[in-house]
Amino acid sequence: MQAVTEFIEKIGDFLWGAPMIVLLLGTHLFLTFRLRFVQRHTFRAIRMSVDPENSGSGEVSQFGALATALAATIGTGNIIGVSTAVALGGPGAVFWCWLTGVLGIATKYGESLLAVKFRVRNEKGEYVGGPMYTIEKGLGKKWLAVLFALFMMIATFGTGCTVQSHAISEALNKTFGVPAALSGIMVTLVSAAVILGGVKGISKVCEKLVPFMSLFYALGCVAILVINGRFLLPALGLIVKSAFAPQAAVGGLVGGGIAAACRWGVARGLFSNESGLGTAPIVSASAKSRNPVRQAMVAMTGTFWDTVVVCAMTGLVIVSSLLRSPQAFSGVENDDMTRVAFMALPGGPYILAVALVIFAFTTILGWSYYGEKCVEYLFGVQAVLGYRILFLAVLFVGTITSLKLVWSFADLMNGLMAFPNLVSVLALSGVIVKETRYYLWEGHLDETAPEKEGEQA
């Protein structure tokens, strides 16, 4: 197992080297400027996300699609992922994670727009879409579409399955003493009750859980930041300075220099908000929306909430806590820094454990849907039930799997998925601009796009 972990880590380090970071941030920057800084429409998009969409074709509401995407993104990446990024990359990793989120809003907008633009109806008459359909219909590269779907199908068993179930079992075991096997059984049974109901059941559960879990966790972070009040400005300064210059150790935390801060900040930022990964567009394609731009705007708010707000809060909580009580973090494992920071709050570990369990559970729901859409694309609707059963079985196995191996595998799959998706987004950027110009810049945002007839998967 150690040899396998080291092998996967070496491949992941190569994949997440300078070329991938340049491709990812380059795409974010390119779309940010080409779309005239679409991020400035974020608050308008937030208002749209809670308005009922009474026209347009689709399977779930705009908010339901956003909630499902947020369920998949606001999760362990916000808690464990940020903790690992700070431990391995130093405080500067928080800056790169945050910057990845700000710029990634444009990429999330672009890939979601394409998903709605090129969506089709499946054998059941339901709308389906995502990078695999965008690549096939928009680029005419079936082989690349198959590769993306294959990478994502495999990735669901890491990023959206074992990582999450392991996080749940760890949280329940460390905080409440629940055995891992018992956690696995409970998580598998509850997940099965929702997953077997399909996208409509998943979106309904996510619509209720996502707002609650986000507010619950945010209030805990705010309380800690109040306790760490006099260390907030020094923490912000350290985060910015460490992003561009090596810093002295803090509380036993050394980090790995500027390159490590950038590498881990970008990697964990992508893992958390998934901009450029191609996940959220899959559920965006099923949303009821009048035109591709409306849904793309709603979808891009997911990156804002996930990284610009939640990840930034977690990072600030960890770094300010490091400055306030450096001795408390001495010898702490990479994934445990957020839990140590929450100890400053009465009942903090319990609050964090509950938040983590809910976060991870909703992430499982969102990623299970992504995986089954890839299976449907590769093998047809008839293969979906078999995938769901396999996903639930792996979910249980994840509760007793090495976290180091799981995270390494997740990073590797994220990189493999991101490449074909980013290539398609860049190649079809002209389509993104054309749609944006008509619906957003020229003021036709409330117009309903013509229905595409006779186009099936």
Side-chain angles (χ1 to χ4, degrees):
M1 188 64 71
Q2 180 65 27
V4 171
T5 301
E6 290 177 357
F7 177 71
I8 292 176
E9 283 181 341
K10 286 181 180 178
I11 299 176
D13 288 340
F14 171 77
L15 190 63
W16 278 105
M20 177 58 77
I21 291 177
V22 169
L23 177 61
L24 180 64
L25 291 181
T27 302
H28 291 350
L29 281 168
F30 174 75
L31 290 177
T32 292
F33 287 107
R34 191 155 192 209
L35 294 171
R36 302 178 186 176
F37 204 80
V38 73
Q39 290 91 332
R40 61 195 170 95
H41 297 285
T42 298
F43 293 106
R44 181 183 182 185
I46 290 172
R47 290 194 298 272
M48 287 171 53
S49 70
V50 295
D51 287 338
E53 178 66 284
N54 296 318
S55 60
S57 303
E59 314 309 319
V60 298
S61 67
Q62 285 187 156
F63 182 73
L66 174 63
T68 303
L70 277 173
T73 55
I74 298 183
T76 54
N78 300 86
I79 300 175
I80 298 175
V82 175
S83 173
T84 306
V86 174
L88 297 176
V94 177
F95 174 86
W96 292 108
C97 182
W98 181 82
L99 185 63
T100 300
V102 172
L103 298 176
I105 289 174
T107 302
K108 181 67 69 69
Y109 169 89
E111 61 185 354
S112 298
L113 186 155
L114 293 173
V116 179
K117 175 71 176 176
F118 293 105
R119 66 183 181 178
V120 298
R121 291 188 183 274
N122 64 10
E123 298 170 21
K124 298 180 180 179
E126 302 169 336
Y127 272 116
V128 292
M132 53 279 198
Y133 295 95
T134 296
I135 294 169
E136 180 184 350
K137 306 294 181 182
L139 286 183
K141 305 292 184 183
K142 176 78 173 181
W143 65 271
L144 191 60
V146 169
L147 277 181
F148 173 85
L150 184 63
F151 290 148
M152 175 167 278
M153 181 187 70
I154 297 172
T156 59
F157 296 111
T159 304
C161 187
T162 50
V163 164
Q164 312 306 326
S165 61
H166 186 91
I168 291 174
S169 67
E170 282 282 295
L172 292 178
N173 181 262
K174 287 182 178 179
T175 310
F176 303 104
V178 179
L182 180 57
S183 297
I185 293 171
M186 292 189 297
V187 171
T188 303
L189 291 177
V190 176
S191 299
V194 181
I195 290 171
L196 295 177
V199 65
K200 292 183 179 179
I202 291 172
S203 68
K204 286 180 180 178
V205 172
C206 292
E207 281 183 28
K208 294 178 173 61
L209 279 181
V210 167
F212 165 76
M213 72 176 187
S214 302
L215 181 61
F216 181 77
Y217 178 69
L219 289 175
C221 287
V222 169
I224 295 173
L225 293 176
V226 170
I227 294 172
N228 296 347
R230 66 190 183 93
F231 295 95
L232 291 185
L233 288 179
L236 284 170
L238 181 61
I239 287 170
V240 175
K241 289 178 182 177
S242 299
F244 301 100
Q247 294 293 310
V250 180
L253 178 68
V254 178
I258 302 171
C262 183
R263 183 254 195 264
W264 288 106
V266 171
R268 289 295 179 251
L270 175 60
F271 180 87
S272 180
N273 66 56
E274 299 174 14
S275 291
L277 205 59
T279 50
I282 293 176
V283 71
S284 289
S286 68
K288 295 177 182 177
S289 187
R290 290 173 232 179
N291 56 69
V293 171
R294 287 184 70 90
Q295 181 53 36
M297 290 179 67
V298 171
M300 77 182 192
T301 65
T303 297
F304 171 80
W305 291 120
D306 178 87
T307 310
V308 180
V309 177
V310 180
C311 278
M313 290 180 70
T314 303
L316 196 54
V317 161
I318 292 174
V319 177
S320 62
S321 298
L322 270 167
L323 293 177
R324 186 177 69 88
S325 305
Q327 69 282 353
F329 291 85
S330 181
V332 172
E333 294 182 8
N334 295 346
D335 61 312
D336 222 18
M337 298 182 73
T338 311
R339 187 182 67 84
V340 173
F342 264 74
M343 286 181 177
L345 198 64
Y350 299 100
I351 294 173
L352 184 64
V354 171
L356 184 57
V357 168
I358 298 175
F359 279 8
F361 173 65
T362 56
T363 300
I364 288 168
L365 300 183
W367 271 80
S368 70
Y369 176 72
Y370 297 156
E372 71 176 58
K373 290 296 108 177
C374 290
V375 168
E376 180 181 320
Y377 177 80
L378 292 169
F379 307 112
V381 175
Q382 68 277 2
V384 169
L385 180 59
Y387 164 79
R388 290 175 177 172
I389 294 172
L390 179 61
F391 183 90
L392 292 168
V394 175
L395 192 67
F396 174 78
V397 174
T399 59
I400 54 175
T401 303
S402 164
L403 182 64
K404 187 176 182 181
L405 174 60
V406 167
W407 275 107
S408 299
F409 180 75
D411 271 342
L412 176 61
M413 288 299 105
N414 283 352
L416 291 174
M417 289 164 53
F419 180 75
N421 181 59
L422 291 172
V423 167
S424 69
V425 170
L426 290 171
L428 295 170
S429 60
V431 176
I432 299 170
V433 172
K434 181 180 178 181
E435 295 287 313
T436 304
R437 177 180 294 111
Y438 180 77
Y439 288 109
L440 182 59
W441 300 341
E442 295 179 0
H444 299 100
L445 200 56
D446 293 329
E447 186 176 310
T448 300
E451 184 81 10
K452 291 183 290 186
E453 297 292 340
E455 194 167 349
Q456 289 190 326

